[in-house]
Amino acid sequence: MKAIQISKPYVMNVIDIAEPVLGDDEVLLKMKYVGFCGSDLNTYRGGNPMVRMPVVPGHEVGAEVVKVGKNVPEGLKPGMTVTVNPYTNCGKCASCRNGRVNACQHNETLGVQRWGAMCEYISLPWEKVIPAGLLTPRTCALIEPMSVGFHAVSRAQVTDIDVVLVIGCGMVGMGAVVRSVQRGATVVAADIDDEKLSLARQMGASYTINTMTEDVHARLLEMTSGFGPDVVIEAVGSTPTYQMAVDEVAFTGRVICIGYAKSEVSFQTKYFVQKELDIRGSRNAQPSDFRAVIHYLERGTCPVDRLISNVVTPENAEAAMKQWDEKPGKVFRILVEF
């Protein structure tokens, strides 16, 4: 069957691999749409330290159930539209013991530590297959990245009295914007691209800041009566944005870190103590976050078409990735249609 493989930095090809063999506890899925995410771009660039090359990328899935194993519960049937939970969990580490399986110490994500979903068919344990109701497979490919943003909002314990600053308005950051708005918070979206900021407003942000052209500190003090935001969600993964999060959050605020910084970050650690900050990591997503995103998308209010920058065939995937590499700030999601 047809698959996309990244064999080394800046080399992506369409290859032929064997079709999966269905196990008794597994579901065979026909891929319809699979999204490229930021980790796939980093893999393509050779900058993803967690990936094992060569790799078939992809873990943002819109698929159709083709066949189920004999031990699969009746709720999963051929013809259903589904997405997938692309993370593994060992059941034995400290994270799993504490019920936070999304942060499993030994997690292997599709398309990173193991071959992913950029192929015609995959077979997965039934527990990792999530029915998507009446959503289209195309929309389903947006569920996983948005769920990561939803999970960050849960980690932040956002309420309706909070001002939330979301730094970075890619797909994950947009998920954080949406979920914070749903919880009644006042949301400030920050990014370097005005088009993304416009979309953040459409998705519910009350304020936007272009961090390249505006005085972030002055704007935040103006918006918050001099206090600063109660919550800062860092969804970029760069030294300046990590520092911004700690500098700008209010005293006794919460900083939630999603993005992986690619280099060491220096902090004024006095702020950790003086502000008595809660600094929390946020990794992947819980099953409840997937369900919450599906519920949101089913309402039909999400501007899905604006979130999908391009839909390509497997043969055109490398050209699309090159364009993304050249202009990373202008892309939300590239979907590969199988």
Side-chain angles (χ1 to χ4, degrees):
M1 66 176 181
K2 187 182 297 185
I4 295 171
Q5 183 187 72
I6 301 174
S7 56
K8 59 184 179 180
Y10 296 101
V11 178
M12 179 186 293
N13 301 108
V14 177
I15 62 171
D16 186 66
I17 62 174
E19 291 189 11
V21 177
L22 180 66
D24 290 343
D25 298 300
E26 294 183 332
V27 178
L28 180 65
L29 302 178
K30 171 71 174 81
M31 296 296 101
K32 295 293 188 178
Y33 295 89
V34 183
F36 278 123
C37 79
S39 66
D40 297 322
L41 177 60
N42 287 333
T43 298
Y44 178 72
R45 290 169 163 173
N48 188 342
M50 295 181 291
V51 76
R52 300 169 186 166
M53 289 217 203
V55 67
V56 172
H59 55 256
E60 302 175 357
V61 169
E64 179 182 310
V65 175
V66 175
K67 189 176 180 180
V68 299
K70 66 180 183 180
N71 296 333
V72 173
E74 292 185 3
L76 289 169
K77 299 181 183 298
M80 293 180 68
T81 297
V82 298
T83 190
V84 303
N85 182 330
Y87 326 119
T88 64
N89 53 282
C90 69
K92 299 177 182 179
C93 70
S95 301
C96 290
R97 183 181 62 184
N98 291 329
R100 290 162 66 177
V101 296
N102 58 292
C104 174
Q105 182 178 350
H106 306 292
N107 167 67
E108 293 188 348
T109 298
L110 284 174
V112 186
Q113 294 91 348
R114 56 189 173 130
W115 279 25
M118 287 277 178
C119 53
E120 293 182 86
Y121 297 92
I122 60 171
S123 187
L124 292 173
W126 67 265
E127 297 94 337
K128 299 299 181 181
V129 179
I130 304 172
L134 298 178
L135 296 181
T136 66
R138 181 171 173 268
T139 299
C140 286
L142 305 179
I143 292 172
E144 190 275 341
M146 293 195 76
S147 73
V148 176
F150 272 46
H151 181 67
V153 174
S154 294
R155 291 284 291 143
Q157 298 175 298
V158 170
T159 72
D160 59 347
I161 63 172
D162 289 322
V163 175
V164 178
L165 170 65
V166 178
I167 305 175
C169 294
M171 277 296 301
V172 171
M174 287 299 184
V177 168
V178 168
R179 194 57 165 164
S180 296
V181 170
Q182 287 183 334
R183 293 193 174 199
T186 300
V187 178
V188 183
D191 200 278
I192 62 174
D193 185 79
D194 286 331
E195 183 179 351
K196 289 184 176 180
L197 293 174
S198 172
L199 182 53
R201 278 191 177 272
Q202 185 176 346
M203 298 181 79
S206 297
Y207 305 98
T208 58
I209 301 175
N210 187 315
T211 59
M212 293 288 288
T213 61
E214 299 181 74
D215 186 329
V216 176
H217 182 68
R219 288 289 315 281
L220 287 172
L221 291 182
E222 175 188 343
M223 296 169 186
T224 62
S225 301
F227 292 107
D230 305 284
V231 174
V232 178
I233 297 176
E234 200 287 332
V236 176
S238 72
T239 297
T241 52
Y242 260 81
Q243 293 170 335
M244 181 190 301
V246 172
D247 290 347
E248 300 301 340
V249 72
F251 274 64
T252 67
R254 288 100 72 197
V255 175
I256 309 301
C257 305
I258 309 175
Y260 284 91
K262 311 306 183 292
S263 58
E264 292 186 2
V265 183
S266 298
F267 291 104
Q268 291 290 337
T269 55
K270 66 179 182 179
Y271 290 148
F272 298 6
V273 178
Q274 288 180 344
K275 292 186 176 182
E276 198 174 50
L277 298 180
D278 289 334
I279 301 176
R280 306 173 186 176
S282 182
R283 184 183 180 191
N284 299 333
Q286 290 271 23
S288 59
D289 300 307
F290 282 84
R291 294 196 302 271
V293 173
I294 291 170
H295 181 64
Y296 161 66
L297 291 172
E298 284 179 329
R299 297 176 184 174
T301 59
C302 178
V304 170
D305 288 341
R306 291 192 67 185
L307 294 174
I308 299 172
S309 304
N310 200 2
V311 179
V312 300
T313 64
E315 290 75 14
N316 293 327
E318 183 178 24
M321 185 64 86
K322 286 181 178 178
Q323 291 176 353
W324 191 12
D325 176 50
E326 293 167 358
K327 296 181 179 180
K330 293 297 183 180
V331 172
F332 282 104
R333 270 303 174 271
I334 298 169
L335 303 186
V336 178
E337 182 177 7
F338 285 88

